[in-house]
Amino acid sequence: MSLTGPAVVLLALLAAVAALAGTVALWPRFAARGATKVASRTGLLLLSDVTVLLVVAVLLNDQFGFFADWTDLAGALGAGAAATTATGGAAPSVAFGRGPVTTAAPARALPPLPPGQGPGGRVLTYTVTGARSGLTGEVLVDLPPSYRDPGATGRAYPVLETFSGYPGSAAQWIGTMHLPAALDAATAAGRLGQTLVVSPVLEIPPGEDTECVDGGPGHALETWVSQDVPAWVQQHFRVVPDRRAWATIGLSAGGWCSAMTTMLHPQRFGAAVVMGGYFRPEFTGPPPFPPTGPQARRYDLVALAGRAAPPVALWLETSHADRLSYASSTALLRAARPPMSVRSVVLKHAGHRIGVWRTLLPQALGWLGSTVPGFAPAGSAAVTG
């Protein structure tokens, strides 16, 4: 029996009904006082509660695909043996071109840093108003470990812009995904250069599934993440201006945002890490534009990859069992043409959930450091072939 589908939902519902009926039928038998009777009544109530929770869990899993099958549920992810890799388009060197990445810090004076949170005060919280979009939202920044060092005042850093899933928050990558710790580990292992992380809120207004698109007045999310936030970062931090030192990373709906932002704005971003993402918007409510209109065609990244592929590199993860991401991810891989470069990791038994993506984060960051020139470890050159 499949872990998803009507059969397992029906079985869970029958179990819940049977538990409730059994509780009603047996309750009079255990109505007397005494420790044994009280324990029996407690057990009946707990059994009913557990089966109700089981129904809720099965329904949620059936809708969102957190666990793909019984193997996945048992924890036998097999992220190494059960994964296949494939490439599409060009080699990364074609996407990035040649020449050194500029590393000099900007000469202009930057605003002083506010107090931060966490070890070393690395995590900063800002409220930013976009000059182009007119949107106002929270932006979190995780500073590289050496950013505040007196000896690093002339050093500029690459930028990784994160995109949360839906529903989510600006803190998802810094908190739930433990991205700062993963970056520190990759840096310590000599696989990645120190990186500044910027995490903007995507739900403006709160709770809205924006899909990061420009959808009319007050809904200019693409402009917010692709123009306003990067411009604000350059005005406030010592960062490398070169597109080969700017990348995005996202999961689920944020994976779509990551791919879209990079592919539609290659003059700013050179690479994207897409985990469980997709390559056409998937609105949970009515779309803000006609499904066959020019805006819908603009946001069809599969068509873009085959028609006018941008000079960017993508690392993507999907699974045969991931109903949300698999179809469009494999379609993008087939469609990709030079100068675009795509590397995919396709799992066999993996659901659509944080645990899968967190496991693969070191691999994705290793790809970033070895492939994208601006993220290469200090003292080494990125492998661009």
Side-chain angles (χ1 to χ4, degrees):
M1 181 188 297
S2 172
L3 185 57
T4 59
V8 70
V9 173
L10 179 60
L11 185 61
L13 286 170
L14 290 174
V17 171
L20 180 60
T23 299
V24 173
L26 295 174
W27 194 266
R29 185 178 302 181
F30 303 116
R33 295 181 178 179
T36 302
K37 303 295 185 180
V38 171
S40 299
R41 294 197 298 272
T42 302
L44 289 172
L45 292 174
L46 286 175
L47 179 61
S48 297
D49 291 343
V50 167
T51 55
V52 170
L53 291 175
L54 177 63
V55 171
V56 174
V58 168
L59 288 171
L60 288 174
N61 189 65
D62 187 63
Q63 180 178 358
F64 295 106
F66 299 127
F67 295 94
D69 50 32
W70 296 104
T71 301
D72 188 26
L73 183 61
L77 229 165
T84 59
T85 59
T87 58
S93 57
V94 178
F96 297 121
R98 298 181 179 180
V101 176
T102 303
T103 57
R108 65 182 183 278
L110 299 175
L113 296 176
Q117 300 174 333
R122 283 173 48 176
V123 180
L124 312 178
T125 302
Y126 294 86
T127 298
V128 177
T129 298
R132 292 177 177 268
S133 68
L135 300 180
T136 299
E138 182 181 69
V139 177
L140 301 184
V141 174
D142 178 70
L143 298 174
S146 66
Y147 192 93
R148 293 182 186 267
D149 292 350
T153 55
R155 180 177 179 179
Y157 298 85
V159 178
L160 184 60
E161 185 171 349
T162 76
F163 295 85
S164 62
Y166 176 80
S169 71
Q172 187 174 58
W173 276 94
I174 292 176
T176 307
M177 282 294 289
H178 308 316
L179 179 58
L183 287 169
D184 290 350
T187 300
R191 295 185 290 110
L192 184 73
Q194 290 191 34
T195 300
L196 184 141
V197 175
V198 56
S199 298
V201 66
L202 305 181
E203 296 173 26
I204 305 174
E208 181 170 319
D209 177 16
T210 66
E211 294 294 293
C212 297
V213 303
D214 282 356
H219 295 79
L221 265 296
E222 179 192 341
T223 301
W224 161 255
V225 298
S226 65
Q227 299 182 49
D228 288 339
V229 171
W232 174 83
V233 169
Q234 285 196 271
Q235 292 165 4
H236 288 76
F237 301 96
R238 302 192 310 272
V239 296
V240 180
D242 196 303
R243 63 180 290 272
R244 293 168 295 173
W246 285 70
T248 64
I249 187 170
L251 58 86
S252 189
W256 147 256
C257 294
S258 171
M260 180 273 293
T261 301
T262 299
M263 291 180 65
L264 294 185
H265 299 274
Q267 73 282 0
R268 163 56 64 198
F269 301 95
V273 172
V274 181
M275 294 183 163
Y278 40 90
F279 296 88
R280 301 179 183 94
E282 298 281 350
F283 293 97
T284 57
F289 42 73
T292 58
Q295 281 183 284
R297 291 193 293 273
R298 166 182 165 79
Y299 289 121
D300 186 341
L301 301 185
V302 175
L304 176 64
R307 181 185 70 249
V312 297
L314 267 63
W315 183 100
L316 68 88
E317 174 276 333
T318 187
S319 169
H320 291 278
D322 190 335
R323 294 171 294 175
L324 185 62
S325 73
Y326 182 73
S328 66
S329 294
T330 53
L332 180 94
L333 188 65
R334 290 192 301 267
R337 299 290 183 270
M340 185 176 177
S341 176
V342 182
R343 178 175 179 81
S344 68
V345 175
V346 183
L347 303 175
K348 184 176 182 181
H349 296 286
H352 192 80
R353 66 182 190 278
I354 293 289
V356 173
W357 304 319
R358 198 157 49 199
T359 300
L360 292 171
L361 187 53
Q363 182 178 340
L365 295 179
W367 171 86
L368 194 66
S370 65
T371 305
V372 187
F375 292 85
S380 66
V383 178
T384 58

